[in-house]
Amino acid sequence: MAGDLKDGLIVIVGASLAGLRAAEALREEGFTGSLTVVGDEPHAPYDRPPLSKQVLLGQATADTLELPMRRDPDAEWRLGVRATGVDLLAKRVLLADGDSLPYDRLLIATGTRARPWPNPEEGALDGVFTLRTREDGAGLAERLAARPERVLVIGGGFTGSEIASACRELGLAVTVAERGPAPLVGALGGTLSKLAAVMQRNHGVDLRTGVTVTALNGNGAFTGAQLSDGSRVEADVCVVALGAIRNVEWLAESGLAAGPRGIACDAGCRAFTMYGIVTDDVFVAGDVSRFPHPLFGYQMLSLEHWGNAVEQAAVAAHNMVNPGPLQRPHLALPVFWSTQFGLNIKSVGVPTYSDHVVIAQGSLEARRLAMVYGYQGRVTAAVTVDMAKALDYYRHLIETAAPFPPPPGAQDRAIAADIAIPSAVPDPSVLSHGPTVALTGHLPDRRLTVV
Amino acid sequence: MDSATLLARITDYASRPNPYPLYAELREAGPVVPQADGSYLIGTYHHIAALLHDPRMSADPRTRGEMTHKPPFLRLDDPEHHRLRTLAMRPFGPPHSPGRVDGMRGEIDRITEALLEPFEAGHQVDIVDDFAYPLPVTVICRLLGVPHEDEPLFRAWSDAIVAAADVRPDDESAEPDKGGDQARMELGGYLLNLAEQRRGKPGEDMLSAFVNEPDPALRLTPEELAETAVLLLIAGHETTVNLIANGALTFLRQPEQLDRLRREPELLPRAVEELLRYEPPVHMRERIPHADMDIAGTPVPRGVPVILALASGNRDPQRFPDPDRFDPARQDNQHLGFGSGIHACYGGPLARLEAYAALGALLPHLATASLVQDPPPYRQNAMLRGPRHLPVRL
Ligand SMILES: Cc1cc2nc3c(=O)[nH]c(=O)nc-3n(C[C@H](O)[C@H](O)[C@H](O)COP(=O)(O)OP(=O)(O)OC[C@H]3O[C@@H](n4cnc5c(N)ncnc54)[C@H](O)[C@@H]3O)c2cc1C
Ligand code: HEM
């Protein structure tokens, strides 16, 4: 039996971070059968985080981000071809070019795409960008290098904030418009979002909060935008950073539990059907997945995290070629990092799964701190600002469900370390940016609602 | 035997050649083993790693009530530690000086070559005095800008400082060690004077960089400069000498591994990591809890020394399969040889580069060499453990 699992036909849909890492891991696990990787982008797998950082600063170009291969996964690469559906009964993946691929086991790693500007005509104006792909990155970097008068960034989440940071580093005028009360508030809650707002303003960002952009203006080319407070921003480049949409539409007829928040799977990365029954030949990994996590009340987590894609791909690959009793759960804690305005922000756990926070070490004034998040008296997350080495300790507290607030006696302890304040995590619906980590309840979605 | 005497038995000079059975006893008695002198000894990997990351554990000797002047950042807590380590890093590593260590490659190779020139078949050499010691001393002197001719001068100071910093069970009858403080002052004064000579006429060295820092917010005070320079000079060679000597000794004891490394030189970087695990130059570190703690079920009061036996953690079977085997191709080797957490070794990249150059160049000589004395005579120091001499016939 186990021998069979190391052989046969495996198809991976999605040729990016999760897809590549799973392909490598399958071979490391001893899979000797035939492996096909389908990707709709015409490129070998590449890395996305530099797109909002080094690429915009001109320190790297978008065509040099190919992901290094740990080993040649000896796969057939079907690049530039979209998968259009899957027939679970016939065990075939359907492709846009009319072909179809038989499989014994299937891995879905189709990730997300940028949420476009809701008005397609306005979104098509020259100078309006989203940022998800290599082409997006190259196009935006080229525009920024041409030194526009002003850049408008819509959405103050991680991606929007990093873009604004890059603009300031390039010496460009930039306006950030955010519907919520401050940047990053959806990911980090109230206190740190205030620090983020101060950092943006100190670095010369024209930050507008509590407003929405109501219209993009221009005749062919973007010239400015209308805000809900009646004001107008004149700018010649606009970046729409409104979060991500899961690439699940191609599964609408599949019978899998695929919805706007992702494809539901179990802790072993096995996909659920729309009836909440777990499959044993369809697996999910990366940004497109929703999976239950014991440390967060077994709610389904939905993450847009590089590290999660890597870890989950390894677990999925392992489970694809090993029988039940040898399978492993995907229990890794969510970890995320971002660099912006000279700060290195790292997060572990789920900051939004919290009711209170304390600054356990460092201080807001020093711009160097460890913030610990608690939910109903236990530690659920930590965020460090320029204090990454502290993270391991707090990770351990989260993993052991340690009591909140953390025990006294820490060096570099903040004066306010005992004063827990509300974490002030807003309802995501009031934000223009989608949070990159979300808890999405216990239920696998029954049906896809088209977004 | 009584587990409360473990620290005394480990630090006893008679245990120097092979403390590893005592570490096994420690892990067995553990994880937290109270000692007769009131300290606590810990030798299990996962507990050590967790405590190295625990912000409640102080590295500052003043936390146990010792009256002493401000120590160097090796023994300071955050935020002071962070400030001084960051300033000390500016002329040494990324992000401000990313090319510094790599730029020393050629020079390290040249020094290695020159030292090995007299190594001729038939001769007897002392791997420590003729090779493992002079190499890192020369390198750290170049880096800091210390004249190599002054080596006899600072060697005496360095010996006294390292002896004073050793881990020993408290012995009521012993005189408190004042020789260490005296030597630290003198070496600090000497280094500060060297730095002052470069004020306004900077060379490429780190003392020049420290003393000529234009931004007052980024400048070290004279006392800080002295403490930092002393730390770098000592940490820069007293450890690396052990790594090179332990490496030569391990290879000579295991000719099949020596052969393998000669056949597969690309294994050398992994072999060096394995040496840092299997025969680490730094065996123990001390920490002091800032608050009353519960460590793995044992209450540990604030202010008492907690000794973390890094070398024991490196041999913990709960972490490393077959831990007493030297396996130059070992995977998943997150050893504690360089520590971990905020005090993780500052000079690791340089130490690795030196070890690759030194051991790589030594391999061909070792192939036909034999140990004159096994075990060799060891240094007195239990914390910085390594051979005092390693006589070898080529
Ligand atoms: C600008 C930017 C900055 C980021 N910065 C950070 C950061 O600092 N830290 C961090 O942790 N994470 C960051 N991320 C997130 C990180 O890049 C993602 O978590 C990661 O790319 C997820 O990998 P994935 O393989 O799951 O999905 P994706 O990378 O989205 O890949 C999915 C692939 O599948 C393809 N595909 C989709 N549908 C189909 C179909 N039907 N048929 C065939 N192929 C299909 C897609 O085109 C894509 O190539 C950033 C992302 C972006 C865009
Ligand atoms: C093989 C060689 C080396 C070994 C095994 C080694 C080991 C260690 C260890 C275990 C620590 C942690 C101490 C603790 O946690 O209390 C440390 C810290 C340190 N090492 Fe090294 N070291 C080596 C080489 C070097 C070199 C070459 C330098 C200087 C260029 C150096 C500079 C330092 C400094 C400055 C610290 C203090 C860091 C801090 O407190 O933040 N070391 N080293």
Side-chain angles (χ1 to χ4, degrees):
Chain A
M1 171 68 194
D4 293 340
L5 288 173
K6 306 271 183 200
D7 202 358
L9 309 174
I10 288 185
V11 173
I12 297 176
V13 183
S16 180
L17 182 62
L20 171 63
R21 290 292 176 252
E24 293 167 342
L26 283 168
R27 293 304 185 195
E28 276 156 22
E29 295 273 352
F31 177 68
T32 53
S34 119
L35 180 57
T36 307
V37 187
V38 182
D40 61 358
E41 294 188 76
H43 312 293
Y46 61 90
D47 210 17
R48 297 182 202 277
L51 292 175
S52 53
K53 307 173 181 82
Q54 292 87 338
V55 169
L56 300 185
L57 293 172
Q59 294 163 352
T61 56
D63 53 7
T64 55
L65 302 181
E66 206 163 293
L67 283 163
M69 293 203 188
R70 288 201 307 249
R71 58 177 292 152
D72 180 358
D74 187 19
E76 189 188 337
W77 296 88
R78 301 284 298 257
L79 300 177
V81 188
R82 246 178 78 74
T84 52
V86 53
D87 183 335
L88 293 182
L89 198 57
K91 298 185 85 127
R92 292 189 94 86
V93 172
L94 317 177
L95 301 184
D97 63 8
D99 218 350
S100 80
L101 301 172
Y103 66 82
D104 295 314
R105 274 144 294 153
L106 168 66
L107 176 68
I108 300 173
T110 47
T112 66
R113 62 183 183 277
R115 182 176 297 280
W117 183 246
N119 177 324
E121 267 156 52
E122 293 177 10
L125 289 169
D126 183 48
V128 177
F129 291 87
T130 53
L131 186 54
R132 182 80 200 172
T133 66
R134 227 171 104 155
E135 288 76 11
D136 297 339
L140 180 57
E142 192 185 313
R143 273 316 161 92
L144 297 186
R147 310 211 60 82
E149 293 287 324
R150 177 169 292 277
V151 179
L152 169 65
V153 177
I154 307 178
F158 278 109
T159 305
S161 298
E162 287 182 359
I163 295 166
S165 170
C167 289
R168 290 308 301 144
E169 215 169 307
L170 293 168
L172 301 174
V174 58
T175 298
V176 172
E178 165 56 46
R179 179 154 69 161
L184 307 184
V185 64
L188 305 179
T191 306
L192 281 183
S193 75
K194 285 182 200 131
L195 174 65
V198 170
M199 291 306 292
Q200 293 210 359
R201 294 204 165 105
N202 283 353
H203 280 81
V205 174
D206 168 30
L207 173 65
R208 318 274 187 99
T209 56
V211 295
T212 52
V213 173
T214 51
L216 305 184
N217 308 130
N219 193 354
F222 173 74
T223 56
Q226 220 66 54
L227 305 190
S228 57
D229 61 2
S231 64
R232 197 186 131 77
V233 175
E234 310 285 340
D236 30 12
V237 173
C238 171
V239 191
V240 179
L242 296 176
I245 296 180
R246 265 78 195 150
N247 290 320
V248 292
E249 292 78 356
W250 67 287
L251 297 168
E253 304 302 321
S254 67
L256 290 172
R261 292 170 307 182
I263 304 163
C265 62
D266 71 357
C269 311
R270 300 179 301 177
F272 283 109
T273 70
M274 64 189 201
Y275 300 118
I277 299 171
V278 77
T279 59
D280 58 10
D281 50 6
V282 182
F283 294 75
V284 196
D287 282 7
V288 78
S289 72
R290 282 173 76 215
F291 60 96
H293 203 298
L295 283 172
F296 307 102
Y298 285 98
Q299 281 199 59
M300 295 279 195
L301 271 181
S302 189
L303 302 174
E304 295 163 40
H305 291 178
W306 195 96
N308 180 65
V310 172
E311 304 239 9
Q312 203 177 10
V315 175
H318 174 87
N319 292 348
M320 289 174 85
V321 295
N322 282 287
L326 298 182
Q327 289 181 349
R328 292 203 313 245
H330 173 52
L331 298 176
L333 273 185
V335 179
F336 182 82
W337 83 98
S338 170
T339 44
Q340 47 180 285
F341 302 105
L343 297 181
N344 169 8
I345 302 174
K346 280 196 161 189
S347 146
V348 60
V350 180
T352 50
Y353 189 67
S354 63
D355 44 32
H356 285 82
V357 296
V358 289
I359 296 176
Q361 290 177 265
S363 70
L364 291 168
E365 298 70 44
R367 309 267 186 273
R368 182 165 184 272
L369 58 91
M371 171 94 90
V372 178
Y373 295 68
Y375 182 66
Q376 296 186 348
R378 70 179 179 82
V379 177
T380 51
V383 174
T384 57
V385 177
D386 276 2
M387 211 192 251
K389 278 187 185 161
L391 214 58
D392 262 11
Y393 171 66
Y394 296 107
R395 172 207 295 270
H396 183 68
L397 295 187
I398 301 166
E399 280 167 352
T400 52
F404 176 89
Q411 54 185 288
D412 197 3
R413 182 169 155 78
I415 312 160
D418 294 317
I419 308 167
I421 50 177
S423 61
V425 176
D427 174 352
S429 67
V430 306
L431 305 172
S432 16
H433 61 276
T436 55
V437 38
L439 290 164
T440 61
H442 294 92
L443 303 176
D445 290 35
R446 276 182 64 83
R447 283 299 302 172
L448 176 83
T449 32
V450 178
V451 278
Chain B
M1 251 201 265
D2 181 7
S3 66
T5 61
L6 266 165
L7 184 59
R9 285 185 279 145
I10 290 167
T11 54
D12 181 350
Y13 185 64
S15 307
R16 213 63 81 246
N18 185 14
Y20 297 102
L22 293 171
Y23 292 144
E25 192 184 327
L26 165 64
R27 290 188 302 269
E28 201 58 37
V32 182
V33 188
Q35 295 301 293
D37 69 346
S39 65
Y40 292 79
L41 189 57
I42 300 179
T44 39
Y45 180 93
H46 293 288
H47 296 103
I48 295 172
L51 290 170
L52 287 173
H53 286 271
D54 195 316
R56 295 170 295 171
M57 297 303 272
S58 170
D60 191 331
R62 292 172 298 179
T63 309
R64 57 171 148 71
E66 190 172 299
M67 300 297 285
T68 165
H69 59 291
K70 191 168 116 182
F73 66 86
L74 170 70
R75 304 230 51 185
L76 284 175
D77 297 338
D78 277 356
E80 276 278 77
H81 161 266
H82 175 73
R83 187 182 135 257
L84 289 168
R85 178 171 168 135
T86 308
L87 294 184
M89 200 50 103
R90 286 175 71 86
F92 181 70
H96 299 282
S97 314
R100 164 81 77 170
V101 169
D102 209 54
M104 300 200 60
R105 224 176 254 271
E107 196 161 349
I108 294 173
D109 284 339
R110 276 194 300 281
I111 301 167
T112 310
E113 218 171 288
L115 288 170
L116 286 178
E117 192 138 4
F119 277 41
E120 277 175 33
H123 287 206
Q124 179 171 326
V125 295
D126 178 353
I127 298 280
V128 175
D129 280 350
D130 299 335
F131 186 63
Y133 177 76
L135 171 63
V137 167
T138 311
V139 170
I140 196 70
C141 282
R142 297 270 167 88
L143 189 67
L144 281 174
V146 172
H148 193 240
E149 312 80 79
D150 289 352
E151 187 270 334
L153 190 62
F154 66 70
R155 184 168 198 173
W157 286 320
S158 183
D159 284 347
I161 295 170
V162 166
D166 196 11
V167 173
R168 271 163 310 197
D170 265 341
D171 180 354
E172 301 281 330
S173 64
E175 286 287 298
D177 198 328
K178 286 285 156 223
D181 281 351
Q182 181 66 23
R184 236 169 75 183
M185 294 255 302
E186 289 178 14
L187 179 53
Y190 160 81
L191 290 167
L192 193 57
N193 182 42
L194 283 180
E196 280 305 331
Q197 290 170 17
R198 311 223 163 91
R199 189 184 290 280
K201 9 183 209 320
E204 290 292 294
D205 56 86
M206 287 176 61
L207 288 178
S208 289
F210 288 144
V211 79
N212 290 297
E213 170 58 55
D215 182 346
L218 300 176
R219 221 174 276 153
L220 299 164
T221 66
E223 297 76 43
E224 289 169 349
L225 199 162
E227 284 292 355
T228 303
V230 170
L231 170 62
L232 295 180
L233 180 66
I234 293 180
H237 74 277
E238 293 283 5
T239 47
T240 314
V241 56
N242 290 351
L243 180 60
I244 298 171
N246 288 340
L249 178 60
T250 304
F251 296 159
L252 286 171
R253 281 177 175 167
Q254 308 201 24
E256 64 296 347
Q257 302 297 1
L258 179 63
D259 272 358
R260 177 160 183 209
L261 276 168
R262 295 203 59 201
R263 281 193 318 270
E264 304 171 55
E266 67 283 359
L267 277 184
L268 190 58
R270 264 154 76 189
V272 168
E273 296 312 304
E274 178 68 345
L275 277 174
L276 284 160
R277 183 193 71 82
Y278 179 79
E279 285 280 25
V282 180
H283 270 231
M284 285 172 270
R285 296 302 300 158
E286 182 199 50
R287 293 292 191 271
I288 306 116
H290 268 302
D292 293 345
M293 285 174 63
D294 176 302
I295 304 177
T298 305
V300 177
R302 58 182 292 186
V304 302
V306 175
I307 311 295
L308 306 175
L310 307 178
S312 169
N314 280 349
R315 299 280 190 115
D316 186 346
Q318 302 276 2
R319 175 59 183 82
F320 299 104
D322 207 355
D324 292 324
R325 199 165 84 86
F326 174 75
D327 173 7
R330 190 178 285 272
Q331 308 267 8
D332 180 27
N333 195 352
Q334 270 225 34
H335 57 74
L336 300 171
F338 284 131
S340 188
I342 64 170
H343 293 283
C345 183
Y346 157 110
L350 178 62
R352 287 188 169 107
L353 217 57
E354 293 182 65
Y356 302 158
L359 293 171
L362 202 55
L363 282 178
H365 295 277
L366 294 181
T368 53
S370 55
L371 286 167
V372 172
Q373 207 182 339
D374 191 7
Y378 273 82
R379 300 167 72 172
Q380 173 60 42
N381 213 292
M383 184 183 78
L384 300 181
R385 171 184 171 273
R388 174 61 195 87
H389 295 288
L390 187 58
V392 159
R393 180 157 313 277
L394 297 171

